[in-house]
Amino acid sequence: MSLLSVIVPCYNEEENVAYFYEELLKQESTLAEQDLTLEILYIDDGSTDKTVEEVRKLREKDERIHLVSFSRNFGKEAAMYAGMEHSKGDFVVIMDADLQDPPSLLPEMYSYLQEGYDSVATRRVSRKGEPPIRSFFARMFYRLMKKISKTEIMDGARDYRLMTRQMVNAILSMKEYNRFTKGIFGWVGFKTKWVEFENVERVKGETKWSFWKLFLYSLDGITAFSTIPLMIAAVVGVLFCILAFLMILFIIVRKLIFGDPVSGWPSLVCIMLFLSGIQFFCTGILGQYLAKTYMEVKNRPIYLTKEEF
Ligand code: UDP
Ligand code: MG
């Protein structure tokens, strides 16, 4: 028998903890036929509701349930990392507590691992039930990432992923503080099979991601997996030098041929404003990377534990 560790990041998911457990157990017999036993790790990401108590109740019934509870909200990225660190399984899968990652896919996903893949990833092909504006920006983000990052990041990819121990260890060896797991999965490589499914709406509770939180997360993704924005300053600088050179030629020639009284104050102001705008923008980009570097250099722990069993 092999052990499958199921990692469930939970942030205020009191309504879903038990429900998720029941739904997962429906797959237990099928998985047992595939020689798999289960271990379930709930990672409480500093919930302020009864998530921990709910997990404790389950634990009284079932020894295979484990909890890692954070001292505060560290974010889903940290929760996934903690889960992988505490998992003992030969295989590891990450699943959302809200059942947006259908457990019914597990047996099929595992069958691909047996065919020789190192990881089975999922992506949703539709985004039904999501606000259109959010889908639009999500799609823009993935298109941009494809252009500016060498690491493959799939549109609609979920964090729902089944991996071998070897791949999990590779991910654990990446101890960066600014974690963007969707990129990390791609960066470590290994053979990945993609499984597609239709978007499922969250069963209970509210999404924990506001538009703003997602926007900041996308900036994290860009700075973590691409340094192209840093080149913008250099490229724009060169372009403006060329432009300035052409202007100088033009002005000298015009002066020599036509002679020229002093004029052009408004255009001068426009040019100055435009250029200082670009300068601030580029300094801002530099600042972003500097801030990320600053956080990495501090080498703070990715999460802090308050309780675990
Ligand atoms: N989550 C977490 N920490 C956070 C935010 C979310 O552990 O700071 C968990 C959450 O409990 C859920 C999963 O991450 O199990 C996905 O969150 P959510 O369903 O809110 O995101 P969505 O599916 O809307 O993208
Ligand atoms: Mg969800």
Side-chain angles (χ1 to χ4, degrees):
M1 287 293 240
S2 308
L3 181 65
L4 171 65
S5 304
V6 181
I7 297 171
V8 195
C10 298
Y11 178 49
N12 294 343
E13 301 278 5
E14 58 180 5
E15 295 155 301
N16 289 322
V17 167
Y19 192 47
F20 174 86
Y21 175 71
E22 282 162 32
E23 289 295 311
L24 182 66
L25 283 204
K26 287 187 186 156
Q27 302 304 320
E28 198 187 6
S29 54
T30 328
L31 292 172
E33 281 166 27
Q34 292 174 302
D35 274 338
L36 278 182
T37 52
L38 290 174
E39 155 189 79
I40 308 170
L41 295 101
Y42 286 100
I43 315 297
D44 161 49
D45 186 9
S47 301
T48 48
D49 65 356
K50 298 207 165 55
T51 302
V52 175
E53 280 87 278
E54 287 293 320
V55 178
R56 207 171 280 134
K57 265 191 241 162
L58 286 181
R59 164 72 178 214
E60 280 161 20
K61 289 189 289 186
D62 192 339
E63 284 277 294
R64 299 170 301 175
I65 298 209
H66 299 276
L67 170 84
V68 179
S69 182
F70 290 176
S71 60
R72 63 165 170 88
N73 179 252
F74 278 88
K76 189 185 178 188
E77 295 293 330
M80 291 192 282
Y81 185 82
M84 286 190 247
E85 231 175 19
H86 285 80
S87 67
K88 296 186 192 69
D90 309 288
F91 305 101
V92 171
V93 65
I94 299 170
M95 297 174 83
D96 282 6
D98 58 5
L99 289 168
Q100 280 189 304
D101 300 331
S104 53
L105 285 176
L106 273 177
E108 184 198 339
M109 286 165 74
Y110 182 63
S111 69
Y112 292 121
L113 284 195
Q114 286 170 314
E115 279 173 24
Y117 286 98
D118 301 294
S119 117
V120 184
T122 59
R123 59 186 284 256
R124 38 182 190 178
V125 281
S126 71
R127 286 175 169 272
K128 98 178 142 54
E130 200 184 56
I133 182 95
R134 198 161 147 175
S135 306
F136 171 76
F137 277 104
R139 226 165 268 135
M140 293 278 288
F141 169 73
Y142 285 110
R143 207 171 302 157
L144 179 70
M145 277 309 262
K146 196 168 256 166
K147 290 221 169 70
I148 65 173
S149 169
K150 285 188 204 117
T151 306
E152 186 195 32
I153 295 165
M154 275 273 199
D155 185 5
R158 298 206 42 97
D159 294 322
Y160 184 18
R161 190 184 274 255
L162 178 63
M163 293 164 281
T164 58
R165 171 54 47 187
Q166 190 186 24
M167 177 155 169
V168 171
N169 287 344
I171 292 170
L172 284 175
S173 72
M174 297 175 75
K175 299 197 186 303
E176 59 211 69
Y177 182 81
N178 298 289
R179 302 190 73 77
F180 184 69
T181 306
K182 283 186 170 74
I184 291 177
F185 285 144
W187 193 91
V188 294
F190 294 102
K191 245 173 86 182
T192 301
K193 166 86 185 169
W194 286 90
V195 175
E196 295 178 351
F197 70 96
E198 291 281 324
N199 190 27
V200 188
E201 284 185 51
R202 173 179 255 282
V203 276
K204 294 192 182 99
E206 292 269 293
T207 175
K208 307 295 179 297
W209 296 86
S210 62
F211 186 81
W212 181 241
K213 221 171 153 189
L214 270 179
F215 176 72
L216 292 181
Y217 183 60
S218 70
L219 289 189
D220 278 349
I222 292 171
T223 44
F225 279 90
S226 170
T227 48
I228 298 273
L230 282 176
M231 273 169 56
I232 291 178
V235 173
V236 172
V238 171
L239 284 181
F240 273 99
C241 283
I242 295 173
L243 192 69
F245 185 69
L246 293 178
M247 290 284 273
I248 290 168
L249 276 184
F250 170 74
I251 286 167
I252 291 174
V253 170
R254 194 171 65 166
K255 170 81 189 163
L256 289 180
I257 298 177
F258 302 107
D260 195 24
V262 177
S263 69
W265 185 82
S267 57
L268 207 64
V269 170
C270 291
I271 292 169
M272 268 166 58
L273 280 181
F274 179 58
L275 282 186
S276 55
I278 287 184
Q279 277 175 353
F280 276 122
F281 176 67
C282 292
T283 319
I285 293 175
L286 270 177
Q288 277 299 311
Y289 282 90
L290 184 66
K292 299 285 167 198
T293 315
Y294 180 54
M295 290 314 284
E296 292 295 344
V297 169
K298 284 192 185 200
N299 208 3
R300 287 184 179 165
I302 296 169
Y303 64 91
L304 291 172
T305 320
K306 178 162 169 262
E307 182 190 353
E308 62 178 274
F309 50 73

mmCIF file of all heavy atoms in Angstrom, residues 113-133:
data_model
loop_
_atom_site.group_PDB
_atom_site.id
_atom_site.type_symbol
_atom_site.label_atom_id
_atom_site.label_comp_id
_atom_site.label_asym_id
_atom_site.label_seq_id
_atom_site.Cartn_x
_atom_site.Cartn_y
_atom_site.Cartn_z
ATOM 1 N N LEU A 113 -0.325 8.850 -12.792
ATOM 2 C CA LEU A 113 0.965 8.705 -12.113
ATOM 3 C C LEU A 113 1.517 7.300 -12.362
ATOM 4 O O LEU A 113 2.714 7.117 -12.563
ATOM 5 C CB LEU A 113 0.829 8.930 -10.606
ATOM 6 C CG LEU A 113 0.672 10.357 -10.098
ATOM 7 C CD1 LEU A 113 0.917 10.402 -8.606
ATOM 8 C CD2 LEU A 113 1.629 11.306 -10.791
ATOM 9 N N GLN A 114 0.599 6.324 -12.350
ATOM 10 C CA GLN A 114 1.043 4.949 -12.580
ATOM 11 C C GLN A 114 1.554 4.737 -14.000
ATOM 12 O O GLN A 114 2.352 3.851 -14.264
ATOM 13 C CB GLN A 114 -0.091 3.972 -12.268
ATOM 14 C CG GLN A 114 -0.319 3.842 -10.769
ATOM 15 C CD GLN A 114 -1.577 3.080 -10.445
ATOM 16 O OE1 GLN A 114 -2.630 3.323 -11.026
ATOM 17 N NE2 GLN A 114 -1.470 2.153 -9.517
ATOM 18 N N GLU A 115 1.070 5.607 -14.918
ATOM 19 C CA GLU A 115 1.567 5.520 -16.300
ATOM 20 C C GLU A 115 2.954 6.120 -16.430
ATOM 21 O O GLU A 115 3.548 6.090 -17.510
ATOM 22 C CB GLU A 115 0.625 6.270 -17.251
ATOM 23 C CG GLU A 115 -0.602 5.472 -17.634
ATOM 24 C CD GLU A 115 -1.580 6.315 -18.434
ATOM 25 O OE1 GLU A 115 -1.149 7.304 -19.067
ATOM 26 O OE2 GLU A 115 -2.778 5.990 -18.399
ATOM 27 N N GLY A 116 3.441 6.757 -15.379
ATOM 28 C CA GLY A 116 4.809 7.268 -15.433
ATOM 29 C C GLY A 116 4.937 8.783 -15.331
ATOM 30 O O GLY A 116 6.034 9.313 -15.416
ATOM 31 N N TYR A 117 3.802 9.491 -15.194
ATOM 32 C CA TYR A 117 3.924 10.935 -14.989
ATOM 33 C C TYR A 117 4.373 11.228 -13.560
ATOM 34 O O TYR A 117 4.139 10.429 -12.653
ATOM 35 C CB TYR A 117 2.571 11.620 -15.246
ATOM 36 C CG TYR A 117 2.217 11.709 -16.707
ATOM 37 C CD1 TYR A 117 1.351 10.773 -17.280
ATOM 38 C CD2 TYR A 117 2.743 12.704 -17.509
ATOM 39 C CE1 TYR A 117 1.026 10.832 -18.627
ATOM 40 C CE2 TYR A 117 2.424 12.784 -18.853
ATOM 41 C CZ TYR A 117 1.568 11.849 -19.407
ATOM 42 O OH TYR A 117 1.253 11.919 -20.730
ATOM 43 N N ASP A 118 5.018 12.380 -13.360
ATOM 44 C CA ASP A 118 5.465 12.762 -12.023
ATOM 45 C C ASP A 118 4.427 13.618 -11.324
ATOM 46 O O ASP A 118 4.431 13.749 -10.108
ATOM 47 C CB ASP A 118 6.771 13.566 -12.101
ATOM 48 C CG ASP A 118 7.863 12.762 -12.773
ATOM 49 O OD1 ASP A 118 8.272 11.750 -12.186
ATOM 50 O OD2 ASP A 118 8.273 13.131 -13.883
ATOM 51 N N SER A 119 3.579 14.240 -12.128
ATOM 52 C CA SER A 119 2.582 15.094 -11.514
ATOM 53 C C SER A 119 1.366 15.193 -12.426
ATOM 54 O O SER A 119 1.482 15.115 -13.650
ATOM 55 C CB SER A 119 3.201 16.468 -11.225
ATOM 56 O OG SER A 119 2.572 17.474 -11.940
ATOM 57 N N VAL A 120 0.203 15.303 -11.814
ATOM 58 C CA VAL A 120 -1.021 15.475 -12.585
ATOM 59 C C VAL A 120 -1.653 16.777 -12.135
ATOM 60 O O VAL A 120 -2.028 16.939 -10.975
ATOM 61 C CB VAL A 120 -2.001 14.307 -12.364
ATOM 62 C CG1 VAL A 120 -3.219 14.471 -13.266
ATOM 63 C CG2 VAL A 120 -1.322 12.977 -12.641
ATOM 64 N N ALA A 121 -1.739 17.732 -13.056
ATOM 65 C CA ALA A 121 -2.263 19.051 -12.712
ATOM 66 C C ALA A 121 -3.649 19.221 -13.312
ATOM 67 O O ALA A 121 -4.016 18.516 -14.235
ATOM 68 C CB ALA A 121 -1.327 20.113 -13.260
ATOM 69 N N THR A 122 -4.406 20.142 -12.749
ATOM 70 C CA THR A 122 -5.749 20.355 -13.270
ATOM 71 C C THR A 122 -5.901 21.806 -13.716
ATOM 72 O O THR A 122 -5.302 22.707 -13.161
ATOM 73 C CB THR A 122 -6.810 20.097 -12.199
ATOM 74 O OG1 THR A 122 -6.564 20.970 -11.096
ATOM 75 C CG2 THR A 122 -6.780 18.666 -11.728
ATOM 76 N N ARG A 123 -6.713 22.002 -14.723
ATOM 77 C CA ARG A 123 -7.092 23.362 -15.094
ATOM 78 C C ARG A 123 -8.559 23.373 -15.433
ATOM 79 O O ARG A 123 -9.106 22.406 -15.947
ATOM 80 C CB ARG A 123 -6.244 23.886 -16.266
ATOM 81 C CG ARG A 123 -6.308 23.078 -17.536
ATOM 82 C CD ARG A 123 -5.320 23.643 -18.533
ATOM 83 N NE ARG A 123 -5.827 24.879 -19.110
ATOM 84 C CZ ARG A 123 -6.342 24.963 -20.341
ATOM 85 N NH1 ARG A 123 -6.411 23.893 -21.109
ATOM 86 N NH2 ARG A 123 -6.782 26.111 -20.803
ATOM 87 N N ARG A 124 -9.198 24.484 -15.117
ATOM 88 C CA ARG A 124 -10.614 24.557 -15.450
ATOM 89 C C ARG A 124 -10.739 25.214 -16.805
ATOM 90 O O ARG A 124 -10.051 26.181 -17.113
ATOM 91 C CB ARG A 124 -11.400 25.288 -14.384
ATOM 92 C CG ARG A 124 -10.677 26.457 -13.803
ATOM 93 C CD ARG A 124 -11.492 27.091 -12.740
ATOM 94 N NE ARG A 124 -10.847 28.360 -12.395
ATOM 95 C CZ ARG A 124 -11.317 29.194 -11.522
ATOM 96 N NH1 ARG A 124 -12.442 28.917 -10.908
ATOM 97 N NH2 ARG A 124 -10.700 30.327 -11.265
ATOM 98 N N VAL A 125 -11.608 24.632 -17.612
ATOM 99 C CA VAL A 125 -11.743 25.147 -18.969
ATOM 100 C C VAL A 125 -12.803 26.236 -19.041
ATOM 101 O O VAL A 125 -12.848 27.007 -19.978
ATOM 102 C CB VAL A 125 -12.052 24.023 -19.980
ATOM 103 C CG1 VAL A 125 -10.773 23.287 -20.318
ATOM 104 C CG2 VAL A 125 -13.083 23.062 -19.437
ATOM 105 N N SER A 126 -13.678 26.301 -18.038
ATOM 106 C CA SER A 126 -14.656 27.387 -18.028
ATOM 107 C C SER A 126 -14.487 28.153 -16.733
ATOM 108 O O SER A 126 -13.884 27.679 -15.791
ATOM 109 C CB SER A 126 -16.067 26.818 -18.103
ATOM 110 O OG SER A 126 -16.373 26.184 -16.884
ATOM 111 N N ARG A 127 -15.008 29.359 -16.713
ATOM 112 C CA ARG A 127 -14.968 30.131 -15.490
ATOM 113 C C ARG A 127 -16.383 30.547 -15.121
ATOM 114 O O ARG A 127 -16.612 31.649 -14.643
ATOM 115 C CB ARG A 127 -14.087 31.371 -15.670
ATOM 116 C CG ARG A 127 -12.620 31.052 -15.688
ATOM 117 C CD ARG A 127 -11.815 32.263 -15.991
ATOM 118 N NE ARG A 127 -10.389 32.022 -15.762
ATOM 119 C CZ ARG A 127 -9.794 32.210 -14.588
ATOM 120 N NH1 ARG A 127 -10.462 32.645 -13.560
ATOM 121 N NH2 ARG A 127 -8.510 31.960 -14.458
ATOM 122 N N LYS A 128 -17.330 29.674 -15.392
ATOM 123 C CA LYS A 128 -18.724 30.059 -15.160
ATOM 124 C C LYS A 128 -18.948 30.292 -13.664
ATOM 125 O O LYS A 128 -18.345 29.634 -12.819
ATOM 126 C CB LYS A 128 -19.672 28.991 -15.730
ATOM 127 C CG LYS A 128 -20.227 27.974 -14.758
ATOM 128 C CD LYS A 128 -21.177 27.042 -15.467
ATOM 129 C CE LYS A 128 -21.079 25.601 -14.973
ATOM 130 N NZ LYS A 128 -21.223 25.349 -13.566
ATOM 131 N N GLY A 129 -19.786 31.266 -13.365
ATOM 132 C CA GLY A 129 -20.055 31.572 -11.962
ATOM 133 C C GLY A 129 -19.078 32.583 -11.403
ATOM 134 O O GLY A 129 -19.154 32.941 -10.249
ATOM 135 N N GLU A 130 -18.163 33.058 -12.243
ATOM 136 C CA GLU A 130 -17.192 34.039 -11.774
ATOM 137 C C GLU A 130 -17.538 35.395 -12.388
ATOM 138 O O GLU A 130 -17.993 35.440 -13.519
ATOM 139 C CB GLU A 130 -15.793 33.610 -12.232
ATOM 140 C CG GLU A 130 -14.672 34.225 -11.463
ATOM 141 C CD GLU A 130 -13.311 33.835 -12.041
ATOM 142 O OE1 GLU A 130 -13.075 34.066 -13.229
ATOM 143 O OE2 GLU A 130 -12.507 33.287 -11.297
ATOM 144 N N PRO A 131 -17.314 36.499 -11.660
ATOM 145 C CA PRO A 131 -17.603 37.804 -12.265
ATOM 146 C C PRO A 131 -16.796 37.992 -13.546
ATOM 147 O O PRO A 131 -15.595 37.702 -13.543
ATOM 148 C CB PRO A 131 -17.134 38.796 -11.193
ATOM 149 C CG PRO A 131 -17.045 38.027 -9.934
ATOM 150 C CD PRO A 131 -16.818 36.597 -10.293
ATOM 151 N N PRO A 132 -17.436 38.454 -14.650
ATOM 152 C CA PRO A 132 -16.756 38.563 -15.949
ATOM 153 C C PRO A 132 -15.495 39.423 -15.887
ATOM 154 O O PRO A 132 -14.487 39.085 -16.514
ATOM 155 C CB PRO A 132 -17.800 39.240 -16.853
ATOM 156 C CG PRO A 132 -19.087 39.088 -16.168
ATOM 157 C CD PRO A 132 -18.829 38.893 -14.715
ATOM 158 N N ILE A 133 -15.529 40.486 -15.082
ATOM 159 C CA ILE A 133 -14.378 41.383 -15.017
ATOM 160 C C ILE A 133 -13.162 40.644 -14.452
ATOM 161 O O ILE A 133 -12.036 40.797 -14.896
ATOM 162 C CB ILE A 133 -14.712 42.658 -14.193
ATOM 163 C CG1 ILE A 133 -13.544 43.637 -14.144
ATOM 164 C CG2 ILE A 133 -15.163 42.359 -12.799
ATOM 165 C CD1 ILE A 133 -13.655 44.700 -15.199
#
